[in-house]
């Protein structure tokens, strides 16, 4: 220890700055913290202790944990342990047991705010203020006590409502669901995040689902398993899932914290398109998407399992986005879609052809002025028992318009897209 005592203060601070763990810094400072931490502390030199109380070091720890750094004017005089260290001590005591969830969810919401304020400000404006944090309770958010268990797996979910208590249910915000939207045959699905007062537990056979995101039109939802048979506890309890009531087929999205962080990362990385402040429910990249680029036109197709459907067979929605990227490469200022052709593949290696004029009853035009078109449709298992697994095909467009063509028809191939086959509870 004598060798370290001879080091200049600047080197001490550099060493202490590398101690990323709260406990490490506490061990050096020997400060007044909760007894569980103090019991683990070891004797250190007075110099280590004095320097480890440095305001700058604890300020960095506050920033790392997403805690507001107190202003000097907050205190009439500088606290003995330093204002930043005192702020950390108060925070650590107040959020005992929830400190990791606090940091994880605040980081996620900070990234969401940075992205949403630029990409879709209406979504960010729709988020309600957070619930008051009440210390001393097993679950400190009183409004959630009736529907949420005190499991460590649920702490990220509780913390999310402490930061923002869902979305405001005002009419002007209903179409801006935080968890995405789509339109299919004129029916709009928008998954809004429910406030704590609107959370509901739905019994689906042997399962109890806490619904936290809901579309009042399509009844599509996101939910957390809060009750299930013992055989499925380890696999599904407290996981975010979409469960089809009639068949017990489901999509598992993991624990809420991991699901939410991954979703925000996907939004920030541009994996969900945004148009007119509306987030696309289906991502534009990933294992169940298909993208092609032909003659300056980009086609993106993505698919999802429909857990909100009642049939016992599998139903999928797929979203198609056509975008004119380069009119020079296309050779024309505009094109109009004439027809579509799909080759639908089944699990037994059989396939069927599906042809039709236009799409969903429309014959869209892509032009320099209006380069974007999107529609949603559905594909499902053959009622006779054949299970659909994917499809491919092509679109045919005509330069100019169908009434006044300016050149020969152009075929736009669509590569094979694999459907997201749901898991099943036997």
């Amino acid at each position: 220890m004598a060798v370290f005592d001879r080091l200049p203060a600047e080197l001490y601070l550099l060493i202490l700055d590398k101690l990323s763990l709260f406990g490490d810094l506490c061990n050096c400072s020997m400060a007044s913290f909760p007894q569980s931490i103090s019991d683990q502390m070891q004797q250190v030199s007075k110099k280590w202790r004095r320097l480890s109380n440095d305001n700058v070091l604890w300020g960095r720890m506050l920033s790392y944990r997403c805690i507001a750094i107190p202003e000097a004017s907050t205190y009439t005089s500088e606290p003995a342990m330093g204002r930043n260290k005192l702020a950390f001590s108060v925070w650590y005591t107040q959020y005992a047991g929830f400190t990791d969830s606090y940091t994880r969810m605040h980081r996620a919401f900070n990234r969401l705010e940075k992205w949403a304020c630029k990409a879709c400000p209406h979504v960010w404006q729709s988020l309600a203020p957070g619930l008051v944090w009440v210390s001393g309770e097993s679950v400190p958010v009183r409004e959630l006590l009736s529907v949420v268990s005190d499991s460590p797996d649920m702490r990220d979910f509780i913390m999310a409502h402490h930061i923002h208590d869902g979305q405001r249910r005002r009419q002007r915000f209903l179409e801006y669901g935080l968890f995405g939207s789509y339109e299919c045959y004129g029916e709009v699905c928008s998954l809004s995040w429910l406030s704590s007062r609107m959370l509901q537990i739905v019994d689906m056979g042997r399962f109890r689902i806490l619904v936290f995101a809901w579309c009042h039109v399509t009844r599509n939802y996101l939910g957390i398993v809060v009750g299930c048979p013992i055989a499925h506890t380890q696999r599904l309890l407290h996981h975010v899932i979409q469960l089809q009531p009639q068949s017990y087929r489901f999509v598992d999205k993991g624990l809420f914290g991991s699901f939410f962080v991954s979703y925000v990362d996907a939004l920030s990385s541009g994996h969900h398109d945004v148009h007119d402040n509306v987030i696309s429910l289906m991502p534009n990249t990933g294992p169940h998407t298909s993208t092609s680029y032909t003659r300056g036109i980009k086609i993106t197709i993505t698919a999802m399992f429909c857990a909100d459907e009642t049939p016992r067979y599998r139903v999928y929605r797929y979203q198609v986005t056509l975008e004119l990227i380069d009119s020079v490469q296309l050779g024309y200022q505009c094109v109009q879609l004439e027809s579509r052709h799909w080759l639908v593949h089944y699990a037994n290696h059989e396939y069927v052809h599906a042809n039709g004029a236009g799409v969903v009853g429309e014959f869209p035009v892509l032009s320099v002025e209006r380069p974007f078109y999107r529609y949603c449709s559905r594909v499902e298992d053959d009622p006779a028992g054949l299970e659909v697994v994917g499809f491919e095909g092509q679109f045919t467009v005509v330069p100019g318009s169908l009434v006044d063509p300016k050149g020969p028809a152009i075929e736009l191939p669509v590569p094979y897209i694999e459907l997201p086959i749901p898991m099943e509870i036997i």
Side-chain angles (χ1 to χ4, degrees), residues 348-370:
N348 64 351
H349 303 294
E350 292 185 14
Y351 58 85
V352 297
H353 294 270
N355 304 313
V359 290
V360 293
E362 298 181 354
F363 298 86
V365 174
L366 296 178
S367 65
V368 175
E369 294 77 19
R370 302 185 65 180

Side-chain angles (χ1 to χ4, degrees), residues 100-303:
D100 289 341
S101 292
Y102 180 102
T103 301
R104 181 163 43 251
M105 299 314 295
H106 270 83
R107 286 175 180 171
F109 276 105
N110 288 343
R111 291 198 302 275
L112 179 63
E113 179 181 14
K114 183 178 180 180
W115 171 82
C117 286
K118 294 181 179 179
C120 49
H122 286 10
V123 171
W124 184 253
Q125 293 165 11
S126 74
L127 296 184
L131 297 175
V132 175
W133 192 262
V134 183
S135 60
E137 297 281 353
S138 59
V139 179
V141 181
R142 294 184 184 274
E143 289 84 346
L144 295 179
L145 278 172
S146 61
V147 293
V148 177
S149 67
D150 190 19
S151 165
D153 293 337
M154 296 296 292
R155 289 176 182 173
D156 287 341
F157 180 74
I158 294 170
M159 186 57 63
H161 282 272
H162 171 52
I163 300 172
H164 286 288
D165 188 21
Q167 292 182 270
R168 298 179 176 93
R169 299 296 292 174
R170 297 175 185 171
Q171 186 65 36
R172 65 191 181 100
F173 289 135
L174 289 181
E175 62 182 295
Y176 305 117
L178 173 62
F179 296 105
S181 306
Y182 67 82
E183 180 177 353
C184 188
Y185 295 106
E187 188 176 67
V188 178
C189 171
S190 183
L191 274 178
S192 298
W193 180 21
L194 299 178
S195 69
S196 59
R197 299 187 185 278
M198 296 187 68
L199 294 175
Q200 54 184 309
I201 292 182
V202 179
D203 290 317
M204 296 185 180
R206 298 170 296 166
F207 289 78
R208 304 195 75 203
I209 309 296
L210 169 64
V211 176
F212 68 86
W214 173 262
C215 173
H216 69 286
V217 176
T218 65
R219 302 178 69 183
N220 205 336
Y221 74 96
L222 286 172
I224 299 176
V225 178
V226 292
C228 65
I230 296 177
H232 303 288
T233 298
Q234 186 173 0
R235 180 186 184 189
L236 289 178
L237 188 62
H238 299 138
H239 281 221
V240 176
I241 72 168
Q242 290 176 295
L243 178 70
Q244 190 181 43
Q246 296 293 326
S247 68
Y248 285 108
R249 297 189 179 99
F250 68 95
V251 178
D252 183 4
K253 299 178 180 291
L255 296 174
F256 179 83
S258 299
F259 156 74
F260 190 80
V261 170
S262 296
Y263 178 65
V264 171
D265 287 344
L267 292 177
S268 302
S269 301
H271 293 172
H272 290 260
D273 294 329
V274 178
H275 291 278
D276 296 328
N277 279 278
V278 176
I279 302 171
S280 174
L281 178 64
M282 291 177 260
N284 55 35
T285 186
H288 305 294
T289 60
S290 173
T291 302
S292 63
Y293 188 88
T294 307
R295 294 282 295 271
I297 296 179
K298 180 181 178 181
I299 301 176
T300 303
I301 300 182
T302 183

